[in-house]
Structure formats: C-alpha cells, structure tokens
Amino acid sequence: MNGQAPSSFVDFFRLSAPYIHAHRGRTFVVMFGGEAVVDSSFPNLIHDVALMHALGVRVVLVHGSKPQIEERMRERNLRPRFHKGMRVTDPATMRCVEDAVGNIRMRIEGLLSMGLPSSPMAHSRIRVASGNFVVARPRGVRDGVDYQLTGGVRRIDVEGVKMRLDSGAIVLLSPLGYSPAGEAYNLSSHEVAASAAVALGADKLVQLVEGRGVVDRRKRLIPQLGPVEAEELVEGGKHLHPDTIKHLAAAARACREGVRRTHLVERQLDGALLQELFTREGRGTLVTAERYEDMRGARIDDIPGMLELLRPLEEAGILVRRSRETLENEIDRFTVVERDGMIIGCAGLEAFPDEKTGELYCLAVDGRYREKGRGEAIVEYTAQKARAMGLETLFVLTTQTTDWFRERGFQPAGVRALPEARRARYDRKRRSKVLVRDLSEELIEDD
C-alpha cells in the first residue's frame, strides 16, 4: 500500500465504489501520445488501463507515434515537413510511420499479454484486439500542398470494434488507416480518438496530455469547460502547449457530436487516469455540455445527503441539530449544490413576508469544497431568491462564523432586529449573534 494508512485506503475505496459501479459496462476511449510509450512509467499506465478493464470498463486504446516517427526519420536522414500542424507524408516518411506504429503496437500488446508481473494484475489474462478498424481517406491537396500519404478518418468499423469489446478484449487503434483500395495512410491520433469515441457512442473520451494540461494564463488547472469555452481556447490559447490545443479541439468535437464527457488528464502524474475516473474531484479537465455541478431547489431524495453534510457541523455545535422529519417538512425552503450526484452544499431560507425579511439558516458546505467559493455562491443565490420574494433584508444567526458573514455584507444587529415570530424562538442559552444584510440597497445599486 506504499505506506498509505489503512483508513485512507478504506475511505478512498468507499468513495470510488460508486464510480466502479457506474463505469461497469461503459465504453471508454483512452488516448495517449508516443511520448508516453518511451517513458519509464509506461508500464504503470498500461497497468492502470488493465485495472480499468478488470473493473468492467470496455476499453478502446488509441496511441500516438510522433517521437518514434521523428527518431526513425533522423536515423534515415529524412527531413520532416509540416503544413498547418499536419505532417506531409511522402513514401519514405510512410515507411518510418509504419515501422514506428508497428513497434508501438507490439510493445503495448506485449505489456498487456504479460499480465504485468509484480503488480495486482499479475497472471491475469488480457486479450488485445488490433487490426484494420480505421478506414482512411487521403487528405489530398490543400492550400497548394499535396499531403500525399497523410489521410483522415473516413469511418470506424464499429461492428468489428464492438464485436471485440463484447468478447472481453481491449481494442487497440493506431494512427494508421487503410483506404478501400488498400492504400495505407498516416493519421492524426487525435482524430482517430475523437472519431472512434463518436462512432462507438462512447461514454467517455479520455486524453492523456503532456505537461500540466489545460491551464489558464496563471498556470492554474481549469477543472471544467463547455464545448464553446474549449473552442475559444483552441482559437486563443497561445499559452497552451500545441499538443494540448489538438487535444482540446478533439474534445470539443467529440462533445459536439454526442460524447457526454471528455477528460484531459496530465499524463506524467502517476495514477492520474484512475484518479480522474474513480474520484469525485478528479485530476484533469472535464469538457462536457452537461452540468457537472448544479445549484437547485432541494428534493425529498436529497435528504440523506443533506443529513450526512449537516451532521459534523451539528456535532461541532456550529449548527442546531435538525431531524429528518424537520428537513422533510422544510424541504421547499432549501437550496442544495449537487456535484456529480453528491450533495456538497445546502442552505435554507425562511421568509417573514410581513416584515419583508428572511432568515438564511443551515448553511453548510462539504469540507473539501469550502475553499472554492461554494459557500459564498449559496449565500448570493439565497439573497437573489429572497429579493425575488420581495424581501428587503436577510438575516443569519451564528455562534462561530460572524467574521465570515460580515465579509459578505452582513452587519451586526441585536435580537430586537429579528421579526417577532423568530424572536420568540430565539435560544438565549445558545446566545447566537444576529447579523443582517440590506437587500433593498443592493437592488438600487443593481438598477
């Protein structure tokens, strides 16, 4: 266990269990570049792929071959030629491509066939299927440049791939395709991966990228993008590695054409593939047209998650204890933040219309997300909800978070500031501080 504490292992296993269940029987296309193949950690990556397969994921692997092609061209004193980021493949270069792709395919098949000795997958039987699953077409002449034996994907042999997946094999696709006339063409591995994911109706396209992956101009990882945002980065992300741009373009295309989720993960980080797919936070960038995290009104079936979220804060004396029955009766008052099926935040709003005020109560955020602005977002959402109800002020009662609320526009007030009905329920033993935020002034500022 590499020194990992047993409790940490148990926690990780419990948290990953929903993903193991959800991913079983799903089809994932996993793509990595030729750089991964020459890295000393490549056996670890293949082990992680084998583990995914053992957990019931239907895996389609797509590999790149750029550094291997470049190496063979140097050995033969051939000069590479590119146009608009695409390799021009003459017959001599094509021989290098075929040699490189053949060697990579043999290495991957060999590693998977070994069952990976000295690993949890030792002695496991893993079948690998590779072949002429990619039908190619010539890229032709563009901008006056003849790409010769550089091609594009015409179609994927979906029936052939699914037959192999149904038999329990991992399918391996190379950036090499054949035309109906039998001509071989050099292809972009990014295009092969995106085309395969779309054609197969894959549940995920996972791309292992070089370097930090998709980061902003301050080198911070961008955790999630929509297809439009991804396309904007493709056009204007000059701070990104050129290969990352290609990954983003493939992700945006796949997303547009029906692949629900595309993940871009830092390849050099050991175990990143498993962390991205089997933990809630992940370790990469998710490109999806779906809402991965949503703030919405609470429903009855949210109550178990809400109880689990509130319990530690109640035990610490930060919140007043509320029973399941109380939450059921007040469920229409609550807003929750749901992240990938898990309730990670909530708050209630009790309105006192005669006094045009409301109480923000039971504000809670999962400890793993408190530094990421969720609490403030819930407060602002609740304030907006209160204004829509015609309320002019919002108040909170707190024993331990006075400064936090003051930083968000709440001002200290006495118990007399509470509406009469709420003042009658005030717990003088608890001695909570009362803070009030004026919403009417905010309305004027917004206007």
Side-chain angles (χ1 to χ4, degrees), residues 41-58:
S41 65
F42 186 57
N44 291 339
L45 173 58
I46 294 300
H47 165 236
D48 290 348
V49 170
L51 182 57
M52 286 169 52
H53 176 263
L55 291 171
V57 177
R58 292 156 60 92

Side-chain angles (χ1 to χ4, degrees), residues 86 137 139 151-153 187-196 250 253:
M86 183 73 65
R137 53 171 173 74
R139 188 168 178 82
V153 177
L187 307 176
S188 159
S189 55
H190 303 87
E191 183 183 359
V192 171
S195 297
R253 178 208 156 185

Side-chain angles (χ1 to χ4, degrees), residues 20-52:
I20 295 172
H21 175 72
H23 295 341
R24 187 176 295 117
R26 304 291 187 178
T27 299
F28 293 177
V29 176
V30 179
M31 182 259 174
F32 51 83
E35 294 82 358
V37 182
V38 297
D39 196 298
S40 60
S41 65
F42 186 57
N44 291 339
L45 173 58
I46 294 300
H47 165 236
D48 290 348
V49 170
L51 182 57
M52 286 169 52

Side-chain angles (χ1 to χ4, degrees), residues 122-378:
H123 310 300
S124 60
R125 172 71 174 163
I126 301 172
R127 292 192 299 274
V128 186
S130 56
N132 59 340
F133 298 121
V134 182
V135 181
R137 53 171 173 74
R139 188 168 178 82
V141 179
R142 304 192 183 192
D143 303 321
V145 175
D146 186 354
Y147 282 93
Q148 302 185 56
L149 295 175
T150 297
V153 177
R154 175 174 290 181
R155 64 180 175 86
I156 302 293
D157 179 6
V158 174
E159 183 180 353
V161 172
K162 287 187 174 180
M163 187 183 302
R164 274 48 168 210
L165 292 173
D166 290 343
S167 73
I170 291 176
V171 173
L172 178 61
L173 302 182
S174 298
L176 196 63
Y178 302 89
S179 73
E183 188 74 78
Y185 287 96
N186 179 25
L187 307 176
S188 159
S189 55
H190 303 87
E191 183 183 359
V192 171
S195 297
V198 171
L200 293 167
D203 298 277
K204 292 181 186 292
L205 167 60
V206 185
Q207 301 179 85
L208 297 167
V209 303
E210 300 303 309
R212 284 292 315 281
V214 186
V215 296
D216 61 21
R217 295 185 183 280
R218 295 173 63 183
K219 304 301 181 184
R220 297 174 301 186
L221 183 70
I222 301 174
Q224 183 176 343
L225 292 167
V228 173
E229 296 168 303
E231 288 163 350
E232 288 174 349
L233 271 178
V234 170
E235 294 298 323
K238 294 181 180 179
H239 63 287
L240 295 174
H241 190 283
D243 192 58
T244 302
I245 296 292
K246 292 181 179 179
H247 282 295
L248 267 177
R253 178 208 156 185
C255 189
R256 290 284 195 194
E257 297 184 27
V259 179
R260 293 176 57 223
R261 293 184 176 184
T262 296
H263 303 255
L264 287 81
V265 186
E266 181 183 349
R267 193 268 304 170
Q268 289 94 333
L269 182 64
D270 186 36
L273 180 63
L274 298 181
Q275 291 181 60
E276 178 68 9
L277 296 177
F278 294 97
T279 67
R280 194 169 300 277
E281 273 298 274
R283 291 304 298 260
T285 297
L286 172 67
V287 179
T288 179
E290 298 178 336
R291 297 192 65 163
Y292 181 57
E293 184 171 308
D294 195 19
M295 193 176 300
R296 56 170 175 79
R299 302 186 292 255
I300 288 293
D301 56 5
D302 295 325
I303 288 178
M306 293 168 63
L307 286 168
E308 185 176 347
L309 180 67
L310 296 171
R311 189 178 299 115
L313 298 176
E314 293 172 349
E315 292 174 351
I318 297 172
L319 295 179
V320 175
R321 190 175 297 274
R322 284 175 172 79
S323 66
R324 178 184 291 268
E325 183 180 5
T326 298
L327 289 178
E328 289 177 355
N329 291 335
E330 299 179 0
I331 196 66
D332 291 339
R333 298 179 181 176
F334 276 85
T335 294
V336 296
V337 179
E338 180 184 14
R339 182 179 176 86
D340 205 20
M342 175 183 177
I343 302 302
I344 65 166
C346 71
L349 171 62
E350 181 180 3
F352 299 88
D354 292 342
E355 291 90 344
K356 293 188 176 181
T357 190
E359 179 182 7
L360 167 64
Y361 69 100
C362 221
L363 174 62
V365 178
D366 187 297
R368 290 166 292 185
Y369 302 92
R370 288 175 192 160
E371 301 301 320
K372 300 183 180 181
R374 266 67 168 210
E376 186 170 9
I378 296 173

Side-chain angles (χ1 to χ4, degrees), residues 399-411:
T399 57
Q400 300 181 36
T401 54
T402 302
D403 287 347
W404 190 90
F405 280 107
R406 291 194 66 175
E407 291 168 6
R408 283 147 187 86
F410 289 81
Q411 299 300 322

